[in-house]
Amino acid sequence: MPKMVVEARIVRNTEIGVNVKELVLYAPEIAAQAVPGQFLHVRVSDSYHPLLRRPLSISDADRQAGTISTIYRVVGQGTACLAALTSEDSVNCMGPLGNGFALQSQRPLLVGGGMGLAPLLFLAGALCPHPIEILMGGRTREEMFWADMFHGKCDAIHITTDDGTLGSCGVTLDVLPEVLKNGAFDLIYTCGPRIMMEGVAKVAKKHNIPCQVSLEDYMACGIGGCLSCTCAGKNGTRKKVCSDGPVFWAQEVMA
Amino acid sequence: MSNEENTMLGITIAGIKMKTPVMTASGTFGFGLEYKDFVDLNKIGAVVVKGTTLLPRHGNQGRRIAETPAGMLNSIGLENPGVNEFLSGILPHLNAYDVPIIVNISGNTVEEYGELAALLNASGVDGLELNISCPNVKEGGIAFGTNCDSASAVVRQVKKNTDLPVIVKLSPNVTDIVAMAQSVEDAGADAISLINTLLGMSIDIHKWRPVLGNVVGGLSGPAVKPIAVRMVWQVAQSVKVPVIGMGGIVTAEDAVEFMLAGATAVAVGTANFINPCAAQTVAEGIESYIRQRGLSHVRELVGKVNI
């Protein structure tokens, strides 16, 4: 699938949660190609500081409108630059990069934590009209604006928060066994903190359900050239998160 | 690939004919194929591939890059699939392109450099670049590049084992760059490339720990450019072999600076991460510059800085 670099006009860059923004870009060539699980590699400034692009998961692609979306948390210098941009601006954008999720599931379970929910949003849209369940976790109620975004895309939404202000008190892994007991899932998709994904992969393996994980790492080029983001695959192989992933079958990259 | 010298940008360096004087710096362009969706590989001066070793290497543990003001630190640790996989699995695909392929090689011992040179000698590649300046591996690499005698020993061993043009890539982490350049020239180097990355460090003030898993790493990007230009200028005056300049080149103007300092060719490195077609856009920019200055060939820039 062709990858490209385009100058993308910003359609909107709006706050959707505390320190979380949704960026919508007009990039019809990328929107036409993008599949759930892929990412954009965006220059957030024309200056040399910050120098490197920022990898951002695609949270939606609207082929009719020619737009692609991403959701990001403002955490450092790069995302602060991005947050300052308006619909007057454009950004240089590479995409769609990496490989997406396998879409053959007819009874999928999505498990996401924090910003890992962004690619799952795009995935949920693509898996319709199959019945989709999602288990999502966050620290506190105000982080769970995600629930509204998945509403209408999923048949069941299970929520956990660390402080118990919304849904079950605890983390997704506490609730996962019960969710699995009540549904005959044929594939689990997970994206979020590494420790959560490792836990989900372990449980999936125990239940004999195939599992896909979406990894992230620090990367420079985003296309397999710099080897910043390689990780250990099975049988001593090496995997590049950017170009072999970011989506992997769990057994490819996790014990 | 004829008539290189008839174009404004065509050059020959150590016998390697290039359509433009803009190469890709080792370690920043993978094996070239990773970039094929973004840049026409046929329009690059030469592709210098990722540092290759006798056996596959997994590289360093932990975080491998850190962004710094106008630059970045890396400590990849020479991850590569090994020379055999390069020869059987990668080179055949590269040969589909009309572009010189230069293999950057790195060894743990003088003998390993010789072995690598012998294995690559008749493989169809166009040249070798000796990495005696990698700051990120404990054995080899920089250990050879900071001592004139061991650097010379590596070059002599390689020259004994190959007929290919041999480019020696120098480390800036030395007290006397000119002495290093003269040593490798005396040992038989056909060209000298510089600079490799500068040893640097970055600390996370929240965790009180180094940002990189390897603690220290190599600094590259626009931040290092003035140091690189200075070293190219010093070396170009002191050796007869051609010099390939690199270190922070992002634009054609950066490249012209290196050429005025004495570089016959240049390489773009970190810029490939920001603009995947940097090698092509820099070359096009150099051509525009030459036209604007009323010159007829890029060689008219080399070493022309007025002191």
Side-chain angles (χ1 to χ4, degrees):
Chain A
M1 219 179 292
K3 299 169 236 168
M4 58 204 94
V5 53
V6 298
E7 207 61 44
R9 186 169 55 76
I10 293 177
V11 177
R12 61 174 190 274
N13 189 18
T14 45
E15 195 143 19
I16 59 169
V18 178
N19 267 337
V20 178
K21 296 189 91 170
E22 182 182 36
L23 175 71
V24 181
L25 300 172
Y26 181 72
E29 310 91 334
I30 295 178
Q33 301 284 346
V35 296
Q38 291 186 301
F39 66 98
L40 307 172
H41 210 24
V42 175
R43 271 208 89 183
V44 296
S45 138
D46 292 331
S47 85
Y48 288 164
H49 191 42
L51 183 68
L52 299 174
R53 289 172 181 268
R54 293 295 185 272
L56 299 163
S57 297
I58 300 173
S59 58
D60 194 23
D62 184 333
R63 282 174 196 186
Q64 247 99 55
T67 59
I68 39 169
S69 309
T70 181
I71 296 170
Y72 63 98
R73 187 190 296 280
V74 183
V75 284
Q77 193 199 10
T79 42
C81 283
L82 199 57
L85 300 176
T86 70
S87 55
E88 307 282 295
D89 300 307
S90 63
V91 289
N92 188 277
C93 178
M94 287 166 73
L97 302 186
N99 301 294
F101 294 102
L103 297 174
Q104 75 265 30
S105 174
Q106 306 200 343
R107 187 75 177 91
L109 173 65
L110 281 48
V111 184
M115 299 309 292
L117 286 157
L120 298 184
L121 196 60
F122 190 12
L123 176 65
L127 290 173
C128 283
H130 298 300
I132 304 167
E133 285 191 43
I134 183 163
L135 168 57
M136 58 173 75
R139 277 175 296 192
T140 188
R141 181 188 189 97
E142 68 178 21
E143 282 188 10
M144 298 317 290
F145 57 86
W146 292 104
D148 291 338
M149 306 186 83
F150 280 93
H151 204 79
K153 288 189 165 137
C154 296
D155 295 78
I157 300 179
H158 311 274
I159 298 170
T160 66
T161 50
D162 295 356
D163 61 4
T165 47
L166 190 69
S168 309
C169 182
V171 295
T172 51
L173 285 173
D174 300 332
V175 178
L176 182 60
E178 198 186 311
V179 173
L180 289 177
K181 205 161 35 174
N182 297 325
F185 302 102
D186 63 1
L187 216 165
I188 300 175
Y189 303 92
T190 182
C191 186
R194 173 94 192 186
I195 189 159
M196 181 200 86
M197 291 193 287
E198 280 175 355
V200 171
K202 214 178 208 171
V203 174
K205 191 176 175 184
K206 207 174 84 185
H207 284 77
N208 223 359
I209 304 171
C211 178
Q212 287 205 310
V213 299
S214 177
L215 303 186
E216 68 171 352
D217 202 347
Y218 294 97
M219 55 182 72
C221 70
I223 52 176
C226 69
L227 302 182
S228 301
C229 66
T230 55
C231 65
K234 63 178 178 185
N235 305 327
T237 58
R238 301 294 296 171
K239 299 287 182 192
K240 300 171 188 175
V241 169
C242 65
S243 57
D244 295 323
V247 177
F248 295 96
W249 291 101
Q251 72 270 15
E252 286 182 282
V253 287
M254 286 174 183
Chain B
M1 264 208 17
S2 57
N3 301 327
E4 283 83 4
E5 299 285 333
N6 294 339
T7 68
M8 295 182 102
L9 295 182
I11 62 160
T12 300
I13 198 161
I16 305 167
K17 288 187 167 145
M18 304 186 197
K19 291 175 210 159
T20 89
V22 185
M23 307 156 65
T24 59
S26 177
T28 64
F29 203 66
F31 289 95
L33 301 166
E34 294 87 345
Y35 280 75
K36 68 177 163 43
D37 282 354
F38 297 98
V39 63
D40 184 351
L41 296 176
N42 300 305
K43 290 188 174 164
I44 292 176
V47 170
V48 185
V49 303
K50 173 71 187 163
T52 297
T53 52
L54 267 184
L55 298 174
R57 284 182 59 97
H58 285 182
N60 291 330
Q61 292 291 316
R63 185 168 163 184
R64 290 176 165 188
I65 56 167
E67 204 170 25
T68 58
M72 65 179 284
L73 290 166
N74 87 79
S75 63
I76 307 300
L78 281 178
E79 174 162 355
N80 78 94
V83 68
N84 289 331
E85 171 60 19
F86 170 74
L87 287 171
S88 61
I90 297 169
L91 186 58
H93 299 287
L94 274 175
N95 282 338
Y97 297 90
D98 180 21
V99 61
I101 303 299
I102 295 168
V103 186
N104 180 287
I105 60 172
S106 194
N108 291 325
T109 61
V110 170
E111 291 71 29
E112 273 192 25
Y113 280 95
E115 225 177 303
L116 279 159
L119 283 167
L120 290 159
N121 187 40
S123 65
V125 304
D126 298 278
L128 301 178
E129 180 179 66
L130 310 190
N131 182 358
I132 55 166
S133 43
C134 176
N136 292 324
V137 294
K138 286 192 181 72
E139 63 288 321
I142 201 160
F144 296 105
T146 50
N147 177 292
C148 290
D149 294 335
S150 51
S152 305
V154 170
V155 178
R156 279 194 300 269
Q157 185 71 16
V158 167
K159 287 295 287 182
K160 235 189 283 177
N161 284 282
T162 188
D163 306 314
L164 292 168
V166 174
I167 302 163
V168 181
K169 186 166 182 176
L170 298 183
S171 169
N173 302 300
V174 294
T175 312
D176 188 349
I177 191 75
V178 169
M180 290 300 305
Q182 288 171 336
S183 295
V184 301
E185 180 182 44
D186 290 344
D190 300 297
I192 290 170
S193 57
L194 74 165
I195 58 174
N196 203 319
T197 55
L198 286 135
L199 202 53
M201 181 173 180
S202 194
I203 295 172
D204 183 328
I205 63 162
H206 303 294
K207 298 181 186 157
W208 292 22
R209 293 188 55 80
V211 175
L212 294 177
N214 192 44
V215 182
V216 297
L219 180 66
S220 64
V224 311
K225 196 188 79 175
I227 299 170
V229 171
R230 182 265 295 179
M231 287 189 161
V232 164
W233 176 66
Q234 288 178 317
V235 167
Q237 295 171 75
S238 317
V239 297
K240 291 185 193 69
V241 294
V243 170
I244 302 163
M246 65 196 74
I249 296 176
V250 178
T251 65
E253 289 76 12
D254 297 330
V256 167
E257 235 186 289
F258 275 87
M259 303 190 103
L260 292 172
T264 301
V266 296
V268 292
T270 302
N272 291 312
F273 303 151
I274 305 160
N275 171 13
C277 43
Q280 202 177 328
T281 50
V282 167
E284 286 162 6
I286 294 173
E287 183 163 343
S288 303
Y289 176 87
I290 294 168
R291 283 185 202 283
Q292 275 161 24
R293 299 287 300 199
L295 304 173
S296 57
H297 195 272
V298 67
R299 75 171 81 81
E300 293 163 53
L301 297 172
V302 178
K304 291 296 167 60
V305 60
N306 293 304
I307 305 294

